[in-house]
């Protein structure tokens, strides 16, 4: 179980990077970035997970409810989700403008931050 | 175990305000947007940046005597477990915050009324950038550092893409955003690993937990991840590719923030985590080896940056490569892992930060003027141009580490503490200084003669000329920034101050004690030798060599083919292809992990 | 029992994440990404992280695909 | 690099990175074992000290409230950034695409869409408010609820007036809401200072755990976050939607 849990994290991260490197479309690239991003969210929650623990919500619970999963890691993951949404929205806005200017979204055709703009 | 939600000590209240004031002003500026008259927007933005700078300055002066520790929400540690987030400001972090504040103020004054069409959003973003930089420099919490890292990146790439009418700024912004976001993910992974291992996010408690234990695989990998993530932001090879794309296309006032603050923040992040978290776990021989890894990276970065600066025609991309070359020198200095060298690096970085800001703005003035008058050549074009040209020449001298500029003191301190590595450090600095100085001078001459290729885009032009070029608000920022670099160099006993600041920065037990509330005075100041006639001669020779090399570069027609052949492949690597940049970044991270593994285990 | 659910969800997340990357057409990808967001949210729920699951749901399965679709609407408009 | 070389170099690099990550992750405690005393302390303190039965809310908005302050400003910056990047540029004109067909009239919103809007919007508002106000009691909070509220606003916007966009320009209101929310967070922090305590101190009376009015500043912060997020997200969606109505004229006058 431990191996599976952490392997999925590594897999998502690397597969997201793979998608970005091979991407031929900026919008596709942005979504691949969000896949790599979710790897880190997942890692945070896996570190905070406690087997047979209950959620850190204490409504209608006895006074000593037993093991509880890590609320810190959930808070950090929450922050990261919001952050990822913000970055994705900005990158999509940039992509829309790039398409308007150049008519393409292919990074291969966009390789022109020309050293010489003469 | 009910913790005391204690009231903070009087006087420390300024630390959170230095962040709260720019954030609140940003909220007002963007929230009200066009409903505030332009003049009031400018005033509010500048006033907020000035207030933040002054507050940071006061906190710095407090921190010079004793670390300023501030617990947000009043959550002090309970029985050794940190439950809140703290600021732990030492002189180094305090100075970095002041630098960020000054540069933000310069950017806001310089860009007065340029960006009217976007209302209050542009100054709001500059202020948010400032607050995030201050938080990054002061925080004592690793996750909080990550959040600030991301916020600096987000505001940075928005400002980069400001001229959305043009293709190049958009691509610069995208490369900036993607590379820095990947860097952020890597940092966050490192944070997660360290939390899983130590059970805390607080830098001091983390360092305390790791100290004295030989680092295992997890700690090594966490170090490699944090280091590569921070070096993406700093712009070290092979993570530097986004940097010229971004600086080369951002509006001049945004460039000075990115060039003068972002690189420094990246290096600061590396130094902070090394000194407070990892250094306690590293034995002598491992320290030797990690020194080699970081030093090699620094030398490589300095050389690549210098070579590319020499081969570059576009004035602002050229400045970006100069920034990279200097970052290489700082990294080399940091890799010595000696406190006095760290002080030298700090002085170099502070002085250069001001100067690079002045240079970006001066180049901006000249470009704008040339567009406004349509003149090809600039000779005899009035006082504004003369002042801008003077700023460039003086700036190059300052980057040559000539006395009395602060960078000269920093360099001497660095070389003096390098020990057996002294000649190597001296040589790398000489190559960097001569090469980048020559490149800037040659480019300035070409701009002056009207041969430069850096034609501002029409949109940029419309925005920037609207304010009129002969304006005081335009000329004052570069002049003041240059004066700041000069003034810093004239502070008496500057080297001693820097060395003691570095000693306090690297004092891991002292940091821990301060965070945990144990009273402890600042560590004794180590004496520094240095000075004397010999460094002066070398510095003079370097400046002279820069001028000579610049003269050679100007008669470029003869040497350009040679230069072109030598650096063609290098230039090919810097074409701005996002996939290439990502590939290099991942390769760098893997290599960093391998090297750290070999060094630290 | 809960472990089995988590294991299953992990496999689903890995598979759908891979599918997101391999779907090269952005329009299709937007829908696959929405599904991936849904898988992640259920995994988080199984791991007792209700707050994060809720955020992931509103961001990953609603807001992000929506913004992607809007971007595509602009980009795909015939010249 | 050619595509092939890049892929090869990347695969080698990615394999290296994967191995490194694997080595790092192998050093972690087994999946499912408790990681830290920090979390235990927080879980133990959330209810007695903060009367917040959702420990995650207590962490994000109290114990580590400064993180969330910066997180809110990341959202704030993103909204401002999207507005800057997608602003009507000097070479662009804003027209509804339909305007290009001279004989075409803009259809009024169909009754079906209007009906859907009138049914859906109140439901979403209730769900959003519920999520926001119970943040300190149960999962959810200002961010999640704010997005739900934003979608409610958006449904109203779509159902009633987008095609008659000229008449209803909520941009200023949304900006104000975005700024007020972000600024409100700072103000709550400063109130702590004014009360003589630390920045972002929880100085409001705490109430009873499980109660709607409990947690001191936590529900207040949830509310300001919701105001920011709701305004910000609608603004963001509006900027993207407006793009479909923006036509760019290149220098030759060609439209795209």
């Amino acid at each position: 179980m431990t191996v599976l849990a952490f392997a999925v994290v590594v897999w998502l991260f690397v597969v997201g990077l793979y998608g970005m490197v091979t991407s031929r479309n900026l919008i596709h690239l942005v979504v691949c970035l969000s896949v790599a991003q979710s790897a880190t969210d997942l890692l945070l929650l896996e570190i905070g997970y406690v087997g047979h623990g209950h959620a850190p919500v204490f409504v209608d619970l006895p006074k000593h409810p037993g093991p509880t999963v890590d609320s810190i890691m959930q808070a950090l993951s929450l922050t990261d989700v919001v952050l990822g949404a913000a970055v994705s929205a900005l990158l999509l806005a940039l992509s829309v403008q790039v398409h308007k200017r150049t008519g393409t979204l292919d990074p291969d055709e966009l390789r022109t931050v020309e050293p010489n703009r003469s | 175990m009910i913790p005391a939600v204690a009231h903070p000590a009087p006087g420390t209240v300024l630390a959170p305000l230095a962040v709260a004031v720019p954030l609140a002003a940003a909220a007002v500026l963007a929230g009200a947007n066009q409903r505030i008259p332009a003049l009031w927007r400018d005033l509010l933005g500048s006033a907020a940046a000035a207030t933040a700078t002054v507050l940071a300055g006061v906190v710095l002066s407090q921190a010079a005597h004793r670390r300023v520790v501030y617990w947000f929400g009043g959550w002090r540690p309970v029985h050794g477990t940190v439950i809140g987030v703290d600021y732990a400001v030492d002189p180094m972090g305090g100075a970095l915050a002041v630098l960020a504040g000054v540069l933000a103020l310069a950017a806001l004054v310089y860009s007065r009324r340029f960006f009217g069409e976007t209302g209050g959003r542009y100054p709001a973003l500059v202020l948010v950038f400032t607050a995030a930089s201050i938080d990054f420099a002061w925080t004592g919490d690793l996750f909080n550092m990550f959040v600030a890292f991301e916020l600096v990146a987000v505001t940075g790439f928005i400002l980069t893409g400001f001229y959305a009418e043009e293709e190049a700024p958009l691509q610069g912004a995208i490369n900036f955003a993607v590379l820095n976001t990947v860097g952020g993910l890597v940092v966050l992974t490192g944070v997660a690993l360290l939390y899983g291992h130590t059970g805390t996010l607080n830098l001091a408690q983390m360092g305390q937990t790791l100290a004295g234990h030989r680092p295992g695989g997890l700690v090594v990998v966490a170090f490699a991840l944090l280091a590569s993530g921070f070096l993406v932001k700093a712009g070290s090879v092979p993570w530097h590719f986004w940097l010229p794309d971004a600086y080369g296309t951002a509006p001049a006032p945004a460039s000075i923030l990115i060039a003068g603050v972002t690189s420094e923040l990246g290096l600061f992040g590396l130094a902070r985590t090394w000194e407070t978290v990892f250094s306690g776990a590293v034995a002598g021989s491992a320290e030797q080896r990690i020194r080699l890894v970081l030093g090699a990276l620094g030398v490589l970065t300095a050389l690549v940056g210098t070579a590319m600066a020499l081969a570059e025609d576009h004035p602002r991309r050229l400045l970006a490569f100069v920034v990279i070359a200097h970052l290489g020198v700082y990294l080399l200095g940091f890799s010595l892992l000696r406190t006095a060298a760290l002080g030298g690096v700090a002085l170099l970085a502070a002085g250069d930060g001001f100067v690079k800001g002045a240079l970006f703005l001066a180049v901006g003035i000249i470009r704008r003027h040339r567009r406004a008058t349509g003149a090809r050549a600039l000779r005899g074009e009035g006082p504004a141009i003369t002042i801008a040209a003077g700023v460039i020449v003086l700036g190059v001298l300052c980057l040559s580490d000539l006395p009395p500029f602060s960078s000269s003191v920093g360099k001497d301190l660095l070389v003096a503490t390098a020990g057996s590595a002294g000649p190597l450090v001296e040589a790398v600095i000489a190559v960097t200084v001569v090469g980048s100085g020559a490149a800037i001078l040659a480019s300035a001459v070409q701009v002056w003669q009207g041969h430069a290729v850096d034609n501002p885009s029409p949109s940029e032009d419309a925005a920037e000329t609207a304010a009129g070029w002969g304006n005081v608000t335009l000329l004052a920022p570069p002049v003041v920034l240059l004066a700041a670099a000069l003034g810093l160099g004239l502070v008496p006993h500057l080297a001693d101050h820097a060395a003691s600041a570095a000693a306090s920065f690297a004092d891991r037990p002292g940091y821990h004690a301060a965070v945990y509330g144990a009273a402890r005075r600042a560590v004794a100041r180590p004496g520094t030798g240095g000075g004397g006639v010999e460094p002066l001669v070398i510095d003079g020779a370097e400046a002279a060599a820069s001028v000579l090399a610049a003269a050679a570069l100007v008669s470029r027609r003869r040497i350009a083919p040679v230069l072109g052949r030598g650096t063609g492949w290098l230039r090919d690597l810097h074409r701005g292809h996002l996939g290439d940049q990502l590939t290099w970044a991942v390769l760098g991270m893997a290599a960093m992990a391998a090297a750290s593994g070999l060094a630290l285990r | 029992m809960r472990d089995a659910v988590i294991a299953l969800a992990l496999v689903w997340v890995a598979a759908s994440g891979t599918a997101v990357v391999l779907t090269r057409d952005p329009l299709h990808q937007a829908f696959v990404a929405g599904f991936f967001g849904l898988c992640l949210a259920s995994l988080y729920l199984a791991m007792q992280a209700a707050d994060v699951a809720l955020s992931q749901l509103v961001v990953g399965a609603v807001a992000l695909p929506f913004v992607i679709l809007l971007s595509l609407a602009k980009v795909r408009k015939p010249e | 690099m050619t595509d092939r070389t890049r892929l090869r170099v990347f695969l080698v690099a990615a394999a290296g990175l994967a191995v490194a990550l694997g080595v790092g992750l192998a050093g972690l405690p087994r999946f499912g074992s408790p990681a830290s005393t920090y979390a235990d302390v927080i879980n133990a303190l959330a209810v007695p000290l903060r009367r917040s039965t959702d420990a995650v809310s207590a962490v994000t908005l109290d114990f580590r409230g400064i993180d969330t302050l910066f997180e809110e400003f990341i959202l704030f910056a993103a909204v401002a950034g999207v507005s800057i990047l997608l602003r009507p540029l000097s070479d662009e004109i804003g027209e509804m695409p339909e305007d290009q067909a001279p004989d075409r009239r803009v259809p009024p919103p169909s009754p079906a869409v209007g009906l859907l809007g009138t049914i859906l919007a109140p439901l979403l508002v209730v769900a959003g408010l519920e999520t926001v106000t119970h943040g300190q009691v149960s999962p959810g909070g200002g961010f999640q609820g704010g997005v739900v509220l934003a979608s409610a606003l958006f449904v109203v916007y779509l159902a009633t007036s987008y095609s008659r966009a000229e008449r209803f320009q909520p941009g200023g209101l949304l900006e104000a809401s975005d700024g007020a929310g972000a600024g409100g967070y700072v103000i709550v922090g400063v109130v702590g200072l004014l009360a003589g305590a630390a920045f972002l101190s929880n100085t409001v009376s705490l109430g009873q755990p499980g109660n709607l009015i409990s947690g001191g500043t936590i529900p207040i912060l949830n509310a300001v976050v919701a105001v920011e997020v709701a305004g910000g997200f609608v603004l963001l969606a509006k900027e993207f939607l407006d793009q479909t109505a923006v036509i760019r004229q290149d220098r030759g006058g060609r439209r795209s």
Side-chain angles (χ1 to χ4, degrees):
Chain A
M1 190 68 186
T2 306
V3 174
L4 174 69
F6 292 145
V8 171
V9 170
V10 176
W11 176 252
L12 282 181
F13 194 71
V14 171
V15 122
L17 285 176
Y18 165 81
M20 290 162 76
V21 167
T22 57
S23 183
R24 306 301 299 262
N25 183 308
L26 279 177
I27 295 182
H28 173 264
L29 191 148
V30 175
V31 180
C32 290
L33 179 62
S34 76
V35 171
Q37 163 109 38
S38 54
T40 52
D41 299 338
L42 182 56
L43 174 60
L44 289 170
L45 291 182
E46 283 178 357
I47 290 175
Y49 180 69
V50 176
H52 308 291
H54 63 80
V57 180
F58 305 103
V59 202
D60 308 328
L61 276 181
K63 207 154 173 70
H64 296 289
T68 310
V69 302
D70 188 332
S71 48
I72 310 288
M73 286 295 108
Q74 295 198 6
L76 304 199
S77 192
L78 201 59
T79 303
D80 198 41
V81 169
V82 177
L83 212 149
V87 171
S88 301
L90 280 166
L91 274 167
L92 286 172
L94 286 166
S95 307
V96 165
Q97 288 293 28
V98 161
H99 185 268
K100 236 195 272 174
R101 301 298 135 190
T102 62
T104 179
L105 285 171
D106 187 347
D108 259 0
E109 293 171 37
L110 294 173
R111 59 192 311 172
T112 46
V113 180
E114 287 286 350
N116 291 311
R117 274 200 303 165
S118 47
Chain B
M1 56 162 200
I2 297 298
V5 181
H7 288 217
T12 54
V13 63
L14 299 179
L17 279 181
V19 173
V21 168
L23 287 182
V28 172
L29 280 168
N33 202 6
Q34 308 279 9
R35 272 158 293 177
I36 309 181
L39 176 67
W40 288 99
R41 284 204 298 260
D42 291 334
L43 283 178
L44 176 58
S46 306
T51 311
T53 312
V54 170
L55 288 173
V58 176
V59 172
L60 168 64
S61 73
Q62 291 172 342
H65 302 290
R66 191 178 163 180
R67 276 189 192 77
V68 175
V69 175
Y70 192 88
W71 292 100
F72 283 96
W75 293 111
R76 291 168 183 284
V78 189
H79 301 295
T81 302
V82 175
I83 56 176
V85 176
D86 66 323
Y87 277 172
V89 191
D90 45 30
M92 207 81 112
L96 186 53
V98 174
L99 176 73
V102 171
L103 288 179
L105 182 58
L108 283 173
V109 172
Y110 179 92
S111 53
R112 188 175 74 92
R113 284 194 276 144
F114 281 2
F115 304 106
E117 53 177 320
T118 53
R121 293 183 189 125
Y122 169 83
L125 285 172
V126 172
L127 290 173
V128 174
F129 178 95
T130 315
S133 306
I134 296 177
D135 182 75
F136 188 86
W138 288 0
T139 187
D141 184 279
L142 196 52
F143 184 75
N144 194 253
M145 214 168 171
F146 160 76
V147 177
F149 177 99
E150 288 287 329
L151 187 49
V152 167
V154 164
T155 43
F157 72 72
I158 297 169
L159 292 173
T160 300
F162 185 83
Y163 292 127
E165 288 93 340
E166 298 297 315
E167 189 188 337
L170 291 171
Q171 279 174 32
I174 287 178
N175 291 0
F176 186 166
V178 171
L179 266 287
N180 273 273
T181 305
V182 171
L185 293 184
V186 168
V187 168
L188 183 57
T189 311
V191 176
L193 286 176
L194 285 176
Y195 177 84
H197 187 62
T198 63
T200 182
L201 294 165
N202 186 273
L203 293 170
Q205 195 185 345
M206 224 176 236
Q208 186 73 1
T209 315
L210 293 181
H213 301 284
R214 196 156 168 269
L218 181 142
V219 177
V220 170
V221 171
F223 168 74
L225 293 175
L226 287 176
S228 359
F230 287 134
L231 286 176
V232 170
K233 186 175 284 311
S236 153
V237 170
W239 300 287
H240 67 291
F241 293 97
W242 63 272
L243 223 126
D245 299 344
Y247 297 9
T249 55
S255 289
I256 76 166
L257 287 181
I258 312 169
V261 183
T262 319
S263 302
E264 277 76 359
L265 286 179
L267 193 63
F268 181 87
L270 173 63
R272 167 67 84 206
T273 43
W274 173 263
E275 297 293 0
T276 55
V277 176
F278 296 104
S279 67
V282 179
S285 60
E287 196 176 286
Q288 290 289 350
R289 293 192 295 268
I290 200 74
R291 201 175 283 182
L292 258 171
V293 172
L294 294 174
L297 210 55
V299 173
L300 188 66
T301 306
L303 295 183
V304 169
T306 309
M308 284 302 297
L310 284 170
E312 184 60 62
D313 295 325
H314 188 292
R316 278 185 299 172
R317 272 180 78 86
L318 187 157
L319 282 179
F321 285 115
V322 171
V323 171
I324 293 172
H326 282 121
L327 189 268
V329 172
Y330 309 156
L331 190 55
L332 175 63
F334 170 67
S335 77
L336 298 170
L337 302 181
R338 296 221 173 93
T339 54
L342 196 59
V345 169
L347 280 181
L348 270 177
D352 288 357
F354 290 128
V355 174
K356 283 178 291 195
L359 283 175
F360 271 109
L361 294 183
V363 169
I365 290 175
I366 290 187
R367 282 153 23 91
R368 182 169 323 120
H369 180 265
R370 211 176 71 225
R371 291 292 297 191
T373 60
R376 292 287 294 167
L378 291 163
R379 276 162 293 196
E381 285 288 348
I385 292 302
T386 316
I387 293 175
V391 165
I392 293 181
V393 172
L394 270 177
V396 171
L397 289 181
C398 181
L399 288 184
S400 305
D401 304 334
L402 267 186
F405 294 105
S406 59
S407 50
S408 144
V409 184
K411 193 198 105 176
D412 293 344
L413 196 54
L414 190 58
V415 174
T417 45
S420 58
L424 170 75
V425 174
E426 179 91 64
V428 173
I429 293 181
V431 169
T432 311
V433 161
V434 172
S436 54
I440 298 173
L441 277 181
S443 158
V445 170
Q446 287 190 324
V447 172
W448 187 269
Q449 293 174 336
H451 296 315
V453 291
D454 185 24
N455 292 317
S457 63
S459 49
E460 189 178 350
D461 202 35
E464 297 197 358
T465 46
W469 57 272
N471 223 311
V472 181
T473 50
L474 218 54
L475 279 170
V479 172
V480 169
L481 287 181
L482 199 63
L486 189 66
L488 190 60
L490 296 176
V491 172
H493 307 297
L494 184 63
D496 293 342
H497 288 309
S500 100
S504 141
F505 184 82
D507 175 18
R508 198 178 46 76
Y511 184 90
H512 181 266
V515 168
Y516 278 82
R520 201 178 141 125
R521 299 291 300 176
V523 287
R525 297 176 176 191
T528 49
V533 182
E534 194 201 354
L536 197 65
V537 173
I538 296 176
D539 292 342
E542 283 173 1
S546 304
V547 175
L548 284 180
L553 273 179
V554 171
S555 56
R556 219 179 167 120
R557 264 158 232 144
R558 240 162 289 156
I559 56 167
V562 183
L563 214 58
R565 226 173 302 142
T567 55
W569 60 276
L570 202 56
R571 290 165 60 112
D572 256 6
L573 286 179
H574 291 82
R575 278 288 150 84
H577 189 286
L578 190 50
D580 285 359
Q581 300 189 345
L582 278 168
T583 307
W584 285 110
V586 177
L587 192 63
M589 286 160 190
M592 188 73 191
S596 310
L598 289 175
L600 292 176
R601 291 282 285 163
Chain C
M1 177 58 201
R2 200 206 277 174
D3 275 8
V5 173
I6 292 177
L8 195 67
L10 277 169
V11 173
W12 262 111
V13 162
S16 57
T18 315
V20 173
V21 169
L22 295 182
T23 311
R24 296 278 164 177
D25 177 57
L27 185 61
H28 296 163
Q29 198 197 20
F31 293 103
V32 183
F35 180 69
F36 173 60
L38 212 61
C39 290
L40 270 178
S42 29
L43 172 59
Y44 295 166
L45 206 59
M47 288 167 71
Q48 305 295 311
D51 282 274
V52 190
L54 212 54
S55 291
Q56 181 61 46
L57 205 65
V58 295
V59 168
V62 182
L64 190 59
F66 181 62
V67 177
I68 294 170
L69 290 179
L70 285 178
S71 308
L72 285 172
K74 173 62 184 171
V75 167
R76 294 207 152 199
K77 212 167 66 175
E79 292 289 312
Chain D
M1 280 192 261
T2 61
D3 283 1
R4 263 185 102 82
T5 342
R6 187 182 318 122
L7 184 61
R8 281 192 192 145
V9 175
F10 171 78
L11 288 179
V12 172
L17 185 63
V19 170
L21 286 175
V23 170
L25 293 170
L28 284 173
R30 199 173 44 79
F31 178 66
S33 58
S36 89
T37 48
Y38 183 10
D40 296 340
V41 172
I42 293 287
N43 284 341
L45 291 182
V47 177
L49 277 191
R50 283 298 157 249
R51 316 277 164 82
S52 168
T53 47
D54 183 1
V56 180
S57 287
V59 174
T60 47
L61 295 174
D62 191 323
F63 295 105
R64 300 183 62 87
I66 185 76
D67 284 348
T68 310
L69 171 65
F70 279 96
E71 176 205 307
E72 290 319 308
F73 272 88
I74 289 180
L75 263 185
F76 174 80
V79 172
V82 168
S83 309
I84 282 186
L85 295 171
L86 298 182
R87 69 189 184 273
L89 298 168
S90 54
D91 58 346
E92 287 176 346
I93 45 176
E95 284 176 4
M96 293 304 289
E98 292 85 12
D99 297 347
Q100 285 170 41
D103 55 339
R104 174 146 177 223
R105 297 181 57 196
V106 179
S110 77
V113 172
L115 184 67
L116 194 67
T118 22
I119 296 172
L120 204 56
L123 287 177
L124 283 170
V125 169
V126 170
L129 286 179
E130 161 94 14
T131 316
V132 174
T133 50
H134 287 72
Q136 69 283 8
V137 179
S138 56
F143 176 74
Q144 297 96 330
V147 179
V148 175
L149 285 177
S151 55
L153 282 175
F154 207 74
V155 166
V156 174
Y157 191 37
L158 282 181
T160 57
S161 77
Y162 185 72
S163 49
R164 289 174 291 172
E166 299 307 314
R167 224 181 279 170
F168 179 54
Q169 283 291 0
L173 195 67
L174 296 174
E175 269 164 9
S177 153
D178 187 37
Y185 204 119
V186 181
I187 290 173
V188 171
V190 174
V191 165
L193 286 180
L194 293 179
F199 190 76
L200 283 174
S201 278
N202 201 333
T203 45
V204 178
S205 116
L206 292 168
Q208 283 308 309
N211 212 314
L212 202 56
I213 299 171
S214 63
T217 49
I218 295 176
I220 300 175
L221 287 175
N222 265 328
V224 296
V225 169
V227 168
E228 187 209 335
V229 170
F233 265 74
V234 181
L235 197 58
L236 209 138
K238 179 183 172 302
E239 293 287 351
F240 273 98
L241 203 55
D242 283 351
Q243 278 299 306
T244 54
V246 164
I247 294 153
R248 175 179 167 245
Q249 274 184 314
D250 63 19
R251 275 150 220 155
R254 196 175 61 87
R255 292 173 162 199
S256 59

